[in-house]
Amino acid sequence: MLQRIVKELLDIGLNPRIFEFSASQASQRAVMFDIQVQTGRYKGKTLKVALSFQDDSYPEYPPHFIHLQSSTTTTAFTRHFEYQFEGEEWLAYSLPPGDLWDKLDSSKKNMRMYVKGHLFRIFAKL
């Protein structure tokens, strides 16, 4: 599943990588990439972002968690959990795009739609 997401992100010009992190006692995997922000307080800046899931049913279910380095401060969202990775503190936010995703035909459920339809609107609120 994560390999498919990596491929879809590569197809839209991002350079993702899969990594493993520990939140509480469970080890989890996510996809990380740098992305230039188009709107909001961080407009024009490149942020390091990671995405992770609650289940393994992509594309039926999109990424559930959006992870940001703690230096990307936001009060717009409540953090779900935090962890350390490669010497940096990361914060994960439970931000599923159900309102958008549930209305899409299966053929449109992909990372292009997730990034442009959901991630960009999250950035606008940071």
Side-chain angles (χ1 to χ4, degrees):
M1 175 190 75
L2 292 180
Q3 290 299 337
R4 178 179 177 170
I5 290 165
V6 165
K7 181 186 179 323
E8 289 182 15
L9 289 170
L10 284 168
D11 288 347
I12 60 172
L14 298 173
N15 188 23
R17 70 177 173 120
I18 297 171
F19 73 104
E20 195 166 303
F21 65 93
S22 292
S24 63
Q25 295 187 6
S27 182
Q28 299 179 16
R29 296 176 75 207
V31 177
M32 180 187 301
F33 51 91
D34 292 338
I35 187 167
Q36 187 168 17
V37 178
Q38 308 286 322
T39 61
R41 181 170 60 151
Y42 291 98
K43 181 179 181 178
K45 297 195 189 279
T46 300
L47 296 182
K48 190 172 291 290
V49 176
L51 307 174
S52 65
F53 296 79
Q54 251 185 336
D55 58 55
D56 292 336
S57 299
Y58 179 82
E60 183 60 31
Y61 297 105
H64 186 92
F65 298 101
I66 297 174
H67 307 239
L68 300 168
Q69 287 179 313
S70 65
S71 58
T72 309
T73 59
T74 180
T75 57
F77 309 110
T78 303
R79 76 181 112 179
H80 190 70
F81 60 88
E82 57 188 80
Y83 60 96
Q84 295 284 321
F85 179 73
E86 294 183 345
E88 295 284 335
E89 183 179 354
W90 284 78
L91 307 173
Y93 300 91
S94 174
L95 298 168
D99 63 319
L100 168 73
W101 207 258
D102 294 345
K103 297 174 188 173
L104 294 173
D105 291 333
S106 294
S107 64
K108 299 208 191 257
K109 292 181 177 182
N110 55 50
M111 290 312 296
R112 178 180 303 276
M113 178 59 70
Y114 181 88
V115 169
K116 292 187 177 191
H118 183 57
L119 199 54
F120 284 172
R121 72 179 173 169
I122 295 300
F123 290 160
K125 296 178 183 178
L126 291 179

Coordinates of all heavy atoms in Angstrom, one line a residue, residues 66-109:
I66 N -1.9 13.5 9.4 CA -0.9 14.4 8.8 C 0.1 14.8 9.9 O -0.3 15.2 10.9 CB -1.6 15.7 8.2 CG1 -2.6 15.3 7.1 CG2 -0.5 16.7 7.7 CD1 -3.4 16.5 6.6
H67 N 1.4 14.5 9.6 CA 2.5 14.8 10.5 C 3.2 16.0 10.1 O 3.6 16.2 8.9 CB 3.4 13.6 10.5 CG 2.8 12.3 10.8 ND1 3.2 11.5 11.8 CD2 1.9 11.6 10.1 CE1 2.5 10.4 11.8 NE2 1.7 10.4 10.7
L68 N 3.6 16.9 11.0 CA 4.4 18.1 10.8 C 5.4 18.2 11.8 O 5.2 17.8 13.0 CB 3.5 19.3 10.8 CG 2.3 19.4 9.8 CD1 1.4 20.6 10.2 CD2 2.8 19.6 8.4
Q69 N 6.6 18.7 11.4 CA 7.6 19.0 12.4 C 7.1 20.0 13.4 O 6.3 20.9 13.0 CB 8.9 19.4 11.7 CG 9.6 18.3 11.0 CD 10.9 18.8 10.3 OE1 10.9 19.9 9.6 NE2 12.0 18.1 10.5
S70 N 7.5 19.9 14.6 CA 7.0 20.8 15.6 C 7.3 22.3 15.3 O 6.7 23.2 15.8 CB 7.5 20.4 17.0 OG 8.9 20.6 17.1
S71 N 8.4 22.5 14.5 CA 8.7 23.9 14.1 C 7.6 24.5 13.3 O 7.5 25.8 13.1 CB 10.0 24.0 13.4 OG 10.0 23.2 12.3
T72 N 6.7 23.7 12.7 CA 5.6 24.2 11.9 C 4.4 24.3 12.9 O 3.6 23.4 13.1 CB 5.2 23.2 10.8 OG1 6.4 22.9 10.0 CG2 4.1 23.8 9.9
T73 N 4.4 25.4 13.6 CA 3.4 25.6 14.7 C 2.0 25.9 14.1 O 1.9 26.5 13.1 CB 3.8 26.7 15.6 OG1 3.9 27.9 14.9 CG2 5.1 26.4 16.3
T74 N 1.0 25.3 14.8 CA -0.4 25.6 14.5 C -1.2 25.4 15.7 O -1.0 24.6 16.6 CB -0.9 24.6 13.4 OG1 -2.2 24.9 13.1 CG2 -0.8 23.1 13.8
T75 N -2.2 26.3 15.8 CA -3.2 26.2 16.9 C -4.5 25.8 16.3 O -5.5 25.7 17.0 CB -3.3 27.5 17.7 OG1 -3.6 28.5 16.8 CG2 -2.0 27.8 18.4
A76 N -4.5 25.7 14.9 CA -5.8 25.4 14.3 C -6.3 24.0 14.5 O -7.5 23.7 14.4 CB -5.6 25.6 12.8
F77 N -5.4 23.1 14.8 CA -5.7 21.7 15.0 C -5.1 21.1 16.3 O -4.1 21.6 16.8 CB -5.1 20.8 13.8 CG -5.4 21.4 12.5 CD1 -4.5 22.0 11.7 CD2 -6.7 21.3 12.0 CE1 -4.8 22.5 10.4 CE2 -7.1 21.8 10.8 CZ -6.1 22.4 10.0
T78 N -5.8 20.1 16.8 CA -5.4 19.5 18.1 C -4.5 18.3 17.7 O -4.9 17.5 16.9 CB -6.6 19.0 18.9 OG1 -7.4 20.1 19.2 CG2 -6.1 18.4 20.2
R79 N -3.3 18.3 18.3 CA -2.4 17.2 18.0 C -2.9 15.9 18.6 O -3.5 15.9 19.7 CB -1.0 17.5 18.5 CG -0.8 17.4 19.9 CD 0.7 17.7 20.3 NE 0.6 19.0 21.0 CZ 1.7 19.6 21.5 NH1 2.9 19.1 21.3 NH2 1.6 20.7 22.2
H80 N -2.7 14.8 17.8 CA -3.2 13.5 18.2 C -2.1 12.8 19.0 O -2.3 12.1 20.0 CB -3.6 12.7 17.0 CG -4.3 11.5 17.3 ND1 -5.6 11.4 17.9 CD2 -3.9 10.2 17.2 CE1 -5.9 10.2 18.0 NE2 -5.0 9.4 17.6
F81 N -0.8 12.9 18.5 CA 0.3 12.3 19.2 C 1.6 13.0 18.7 O 1.6 13.7 17.7 CB 0.4 10.8 19.1 CG 0.5 10.3 17.7 CD1 1.8 10.1 17.1 CD2 -0.6 9.9 17.0 CE1 1.9 9.6 15.8 CE2 -0.5 9.4 15.7 CZ 0.8 9.2 15.1
E82 N 2.6 12.8 19.5 CA 3.9 13.4 19.1 C 5.0 12.3 19.3 O 4.8 11.3 20.0 CB 4.3 14.6 19.9 CG 4.3 14.4 21.4 CD 4.4 15.8 22.1 OE1 3.4 16.5 22.3 OE2 5.5 16.1 22.6
Y83 N 6.1 12.5 18.6 CA 7.2 11.5 18.6 C 8.5 12.2 18.1 O 8.4 13.3 17.6 CB 6.9 10.3 17.8 CG 6.6 10.6 16.3 CD1 7.6 10.5 15.4 CD2 5.4 11.0 15.9 CE1 7.4 10.7 14.0 CE2 5.1 11.3 14.5 CZ 6.2 11.1 13.6 OH 5.9 11.4 12.3
Q84 N 9.6 11.5 18.3 CA 10.9 12.0 17.9 C 11.3 11.2 16.7 O 11.1 9.9 16.7 CB 11.9 11.8 19.0 CG 11.7 12.7 20.2 CD 12.1 14.1 20.0 OE1 13.1 14.4 19.3 NE2 11.3 15.0 20.5
F85 N 11.8 11.8 15.6 CA 12.4 11.1 14.5 C 13.5 11.9 13.9 O 13.4 13.1 13.7 CB 11.3 11.0 13.4 CG 11.8 10.3 12.2 CD1 12.0 8.9 12.2 CD2 12.0 11.0 11.0 CE1 12.5 8.2 11.1 CE2 12.5 10.3 9.9 CZ 12.7 8.9 9.9
E86 N 14.7 11.2 13.8 CA 15.9 11.8 13.3 C 16.2 13.1 14.0 O 16.6 14.1 13.4 CB 15.8 12.0 11.8 CG 15.8 10.7 11.1 CD 15.8 10.8 9.5 OE1 15.5 12.0 9.0 OE2 16.0 9.8 8.9
G87 N 16.1 13.1 15.3 CA 16.4 14.3 16.2 C 15.5 15.4 16.1 O 15.7 16.5 16.7
E88 N 14.3 15.3 15.5 CA 13.3 16.3 15.4 C 12.0 15.8 16.1 O 11.7 14.7 16.1 CB 13.0 16.6 14.0 CG 14.1 17.2 13.2 CD 14.4 18.7 13.5 OE1 13.4 19.4 14.0 OE2 15.5 19.1 13.3
E89 N 11.3 16.8 16.7 CA 10.0 16.5 17.3 C 9.0 16.6 16.2 O 8.9 17.6 15.4 CB 9.7 17.4 18.4 CG 8.4 17.1 19.1 CD 8.1 18.0 20.3 OE1 8.9 18.8 20.7 OE2 7.0 17.9 20.8
W90 N 8.1 15.6 16.1 CA 7.0 15.6 15.1 C 5.7 15.6 15.8 O 5.6 14.9 16.9 CB 7.1 14.4 14.2 CG 8.2 14.5 13.1 CD1 9.5 14.4 13.3 CD2 8.0 14.9 11.8 NE1 10.2 14.6 12.2 CE2 9.3 14.9 11.2 CE3 6.9 15.1 11.0 CZ2 9.4 15.2 9.8 CZ3 7.1 15.4 9.7 CH2 8.3 15.4 9.1
L91 N 4.7 16.2 15.2 CA 3.3 16.2 15.8 C 2.4 15.6 14.7 O 2.5 16.0 13.5 CB 2.9 17.6 16.1 CG 3.8 18.4 17.0 CD1 3.4 19.9 17.1 CD2 3.9 17.8 18.4
A92 N 1.6 14.7 15.1 CA 0.6 14.1 14.2 C -0.8 14.6 14.5 O -1.2 14.6 15.7 CB 0.7 12.6 14.3
Y93 N -1.5 14.9 13.5 CA -2.9 15.4 13.6 C -3.8 14.5 12.9 O -3.6 14.0 11.8 CB -3.0 16.8 13.0 CG -2.0 17.8 13.6 CD1 -0.7 18.0 13.1 CD2 -2.4 18.6 14.7 CE1 0.2 18.9 13.7 CE2 -1.5 19.5 15.3 CZ -0.3 19.6 14.8 OH 0.6 20.5 15.4
S94 N -4.9 14.2 13.6 CA -6.0 13.3 13.0 C -6.8 14.2 12.1 O -7.7 15.0 12.6 CB -6.8 12.7 14.1 OG -7.9 12.0 13.6
L95 N -6.6 14.2 10.8 CA -7.2 15.0 9.8 C -7.7 14.3 8.6 O -7.2 14.5 7.5 CB -6.3 16.2 9.4 CG -5.8 17.1 10.6 CD1 -4.7 18.0 10.1 CD2 -7.0 17.9 11.1
P96 N -8.6 13.3 8.8 CA -9.0 12.6 7.6 C -9.9 13.4 6.7 O -10.7 14.3 7.2 CB -9.8 11.4 8.2 CG -10.3 11.9 9.5 CD -9.2 12.9 10.0
P97 N -9.8 13.2 5.4 CA -10.6 14.1 4.5 C -12.0 13.5 4.1 O -12.4 13.5 2.9 CB -9.7 14.1 3.2 CG -9.1 12.8 3.2 CD -8.9 12.4 4.7
G98 N -12.6 12.9 5.0 CA -13.9 12.2 4.8 C -14.9 13.0 4.0 O -15.6 12.5 3.1
D99 N -15.1 14.3 4.3 CA -16.0 15.1 3.6 C -15.7 15.2 2.1 O -16.7 15.3 1.3 CB -16.1 16.5 4.3 CG -14.8 17.2 4.2 OD1 -13.7 16.6 4.3 OD2 -14.9 18.4 3.9
L100 N -14.5 15.2 1.8 CA -14.1 15.2 0.4 C -14.0 13.8 -0.3 O -14.6 13.6 -1.3 CB -12.7 15.9 0.3 CG -12.0 15.8 -1.1 CD1 -12.7 16.8 -2.0 CD2 -10.5 16.2 -0.9
W101 N -13.4 12.9 0.4 CA -13.1 11.6 -0.1 C -14.3 10.8 -0.4 O -14.4 10.1 -1.4 CB -12.1 10.9 0.8 CG -11.3 9.8 0.2 CD1 -11.4 8.5 0.3 CD2 -10.0 10.1 -0.5 NE1 -10.4 7.9 -0.4 CE2 -9.5 8.8 -0.9 CE3 -9.3 11.2 -0.9 CZ2 -8.4 8.7 -1.6 CZ3 -8.2 11.1 -1.6 CH2 -7.7 9.8 -1.9
D102 N -15.3 10.8 0.6 CA -16.5 10.0 0.5 C -17.3 10.3 -0.7 O -18.1 9.5 -1.2 CB -17.3 10.1 1.8 CG -16.6 9.5 3.0 OD1 -15.6 8.8 2.8 OD2 -17.0 9.8 4.1
K103 N -17.2 11.5 -1.3 CA -18.0 12.0 -2.4 C -17.3 11.6 -3.8 O -18.0 11.8 -4.8 CB -18.2 13.5 -2.4 CG -19.0 13.9 -1.2 CD -19.1 15.4 -1.1 CE -19.7 15.8 0.2 NZ -19.6 17.3 0.4
L104 N -16.1 11.1 -3.8 CA -15.4 10.9 -5.0 C -15.7 9.5 -5.6 O -15.9 8.5 -4.8 CB -13.9 10.9 -4.7 CG -13.3 12.3 -4.3 CD1 -11.8 12.1 -4.0 CD2 -13.4 13.3 -5.5
D105 N -15.7 9.4 -6.9 CA -15.7 8.1 -7.6 C -14.4 7.4 -7.3 O -13.4 8.1 -7.1 CB -15.8 8.3 -9.1 CG -17.2 8.8 -9.5 OD1 -18.2 8.6 -8.8 OD2 -17.3 9.5 -10.5
S106 N -14.4 6.1 -7.3 CA -13.2 5.4 -7.0 C -12.0 5.8 -7.9 O -10.9 5.8 -7.4 CB -13.4 3.9 -7.1 OG -14.3 3.4 -6.1
S107 N -12.3 6.1 -9.1 CA -11.2 6.4 -10.1 C -10.5 7.8 -9.7 O -9.4 8.0 -10.2 CB -11.8 6.6 -11.5 OG -12.7 7.6 -11.5
K108 N -11.1 8.6 -8.9 CA -10.5 9.9 -8.5 C -9.9 9.8 -7.1 O -9.3 10.8 -6.7 CB -11.6 10.9 -8.5 CG -12.2 11.1 -9.9 CD -12.7 12.5 -10.1 CE -13.5 12.6 -11.3 NZ -13.0 13.1 -12.5
K109 N -9.9 8.7 -6.5 CA -9.3 8.5 -5.1 C -7.8 8.2 -5.3 O -7.4 7.1 -5.5 CB -10.0 7.4 -4.3 CG -11.4 7.8 -3.9 CD -12.1 6.8 -3.1 CE -13.5 7.2 -2.7 NZ -14.2 6.3 -1.9

